Amino acid sequence: RKEVEQDPGPFNVPEGATVAFNCTYSNSASQSFFWYRQDCRKEPKLLMSVYSSGNEDGRFTAQLNRASQYISLLIRDSKLSDSATYLCVVNIPGLGKLIFGTGTRLQVFP
Amino acid sequence: GAGVSQSPRYKVAKRGQDVALRCDPISGHVSLFWYQQALGQGPEFLTYFQNEAQLDKSGLPSDRFFAERPEGSVSTLKIQRTQQEDSAVYLCASSLRVDSFYEQYFGPGTRLTVT
């Protein structure tokens, strides 16, 4: 079983739609959680960190459920520019490396 | 300021050839990471440096892979006797600190194709 699992998609949604991505992780010792965004043939870039209390950044809301080892990302009012792959990422204490999911591809159409 | 840079951006190698991939991290960043990203997959960890010390090389797929960061800044990932399965994008990332809460900044990657 992969350490971080995501639905690869693609999710095809119209502009203005709300879309949610989910991710599960297997290591209960995981402590830091992130969503990265990766555009086609580009490097990953940090979208937002995920905190236990949940956090929001504009149209983006991230939530963490430690008991279920589950992370989510909600995008409201989707824009064409949101089209990208969204990578769920975890970090285990004491290890510098990030553990990435395979990514969920989002395509927003007009 | 300048971000993480990598060179070459593209490399085509014949099977059996040796290649060297370079990473210039953000100035002052202590930590440097190498990841391998195959098509349709997320990046997979290869190795990690804190300054010049290689603290974790558990992700290197075989002893054909070797990385160094001799002066704690620029790093080189070397792959000997390349195989077709080595074809991937090799991403370098740097971070200001070791702590997991510090963001890792990625370079544009080197796309390696082994023919």
Side-chain angles (χ1 to χ4, degrees), chain B residues 71-113:
Chain B
E71 295 175 2
S73 56
V74 171
S75 177
T76 305
L77 176 67
K78 296 179 179 176
I79 309 174
Q80 296 177 323
R81 304 180 304 282
T82 51
Q83 304 293 315
Q84 283 192 310
E85 62 263 26
D86 300 335
S87 295
V89 175
Y90 290 85
L91 293 162
C92 175
S94 71
S95 178
L96 185 60
R97 290 267 302 272
V98 175
D99 191 289
S100 61
F101 295 105
Y102 282 82
E103 180 179 353
Q104 292 188 18
Y105 295 85
F106 283 81
T110 295
R111 184 174 298 274
L112 173 65
T113 304

Side-chain angles (χ1 to χ4, degrees), chain A residues 5 11-12 17 24 26 35 37 51 54 76 96 104:
Chain A
E5 295 206 52
F11 284 58
N12 295 305
T24 57
S26 60
W35 284 100
R37 170 192 169 130
Y51 304 116
R76 289 181 300 278
T104 298

Side-chain angles (χ1 to χ4, degrees), chain B:
Chain B
V4 178
S5 61
Q6 292 186 244
S7 61
R9 292 292 312 278
Y10 303 91
K11 177 69 180 176
V12 179
K14 285 195 164 75
R15 194 159 58 113
Q17 217 177 342
D18 296 350
V19 298
L21 313 179
R22 177 188 168 107
C23 172
D24 282 84
I26 293 172
S27 178
H29 277 200
V30 166
S31 301
L32 185 146
F33 306 82
W34 284 98
Y35 294 86
Q36 180 191 58
Q37 186 171 23
L39 194 62
Q41 301 296 314
E44 298 261 358
F45 170 81
L46 294 177
T47 186
Y48 154 54
F49 291 85
Q50 184 179 335
N51 296 307
E52 69 278 3
Q54 189 174 19
L55 297 188
D56 186 348
K57 52 182 181 179
S58 62
L60 295 176
S62 76
D63 59 8
R64 296 185 296 103
F65 286 71
F66 171 75
E68 60 183 5
R69 192 186 186 198
E71 295 175 2
S73 56
V74 171
S75 177
T76 305
L77 176 67
K78 296 179 179 176
I79 309 174
Q80 296 177 323
R81 304 180 304 282
T82 51
Q83 304 293 315
Q84 283 192 310
E85 62 263 26
D86 300 335
S87 295
V89 175
Y90 290 85
L91 293 162
C92 175
S94 71
S95 178
L96 185 60
R97 290 267 302 272
V98 175
D99 191 289
S100 61
F101 295 105
Y102 282 82
E103 180 179 353
Q104 292 188 18
Y105 295 85
F106 283 81
T110 295
R111 184 174 298 274
L112 173 65
T113 304
V114 181
T115 60

Side-chain angles (χ1 to χ4, degrees), chain A residues 32 38 43 46 91 96-98, chain B residues 35 37 45 100 103-104 107:
Chain A
S32 306
Q38 187 171 28
E43 70 273 23
L46 179 66
N91 179 279
K97 65 184 180 185
L98 298 178
Chain B
Y35 294 86
Q37 186 171 23
F45 170 81
S100 61
E103 180 179 353
Q104 292 188 18

Side-chain angles (χ1 to χ4, degrees), chain A residues 12-72:
Chain A
N12 295 305
V13 303
E15 272 188 290
T18 295
V19 60
F21 306 136
N22 303 318
C23 162
T24 57
Y25 60 95
S26 60
N27 192 324
S28 58
S30 301
Q31 192 167 50
S32 306
F33 308 90
F34 310 92
W35 284 100
Y36 273 70
R37 170 192 169 130
Q38 187 171 28
D39 292 287
C40 190
R41 301 180 85 86
K42 298 283 191 185
E43 70 273 23
K45 290 187 177 172
L46 179 66
L47 178 66
M48 57 198 303
S49 301
V50 187
Y51 304 116
S52 295
S53 53
N55 49 301
E56 188 173 307
D57 182 1
R59 297 181 294 107
F60 298 83
T61 301
Q63 296 216 300
L64 167 66
N65 183 322
R66 284 187 187 272
S68 302
Q69 295 182 198
Y70 169 98
I71 307 159
S72 66

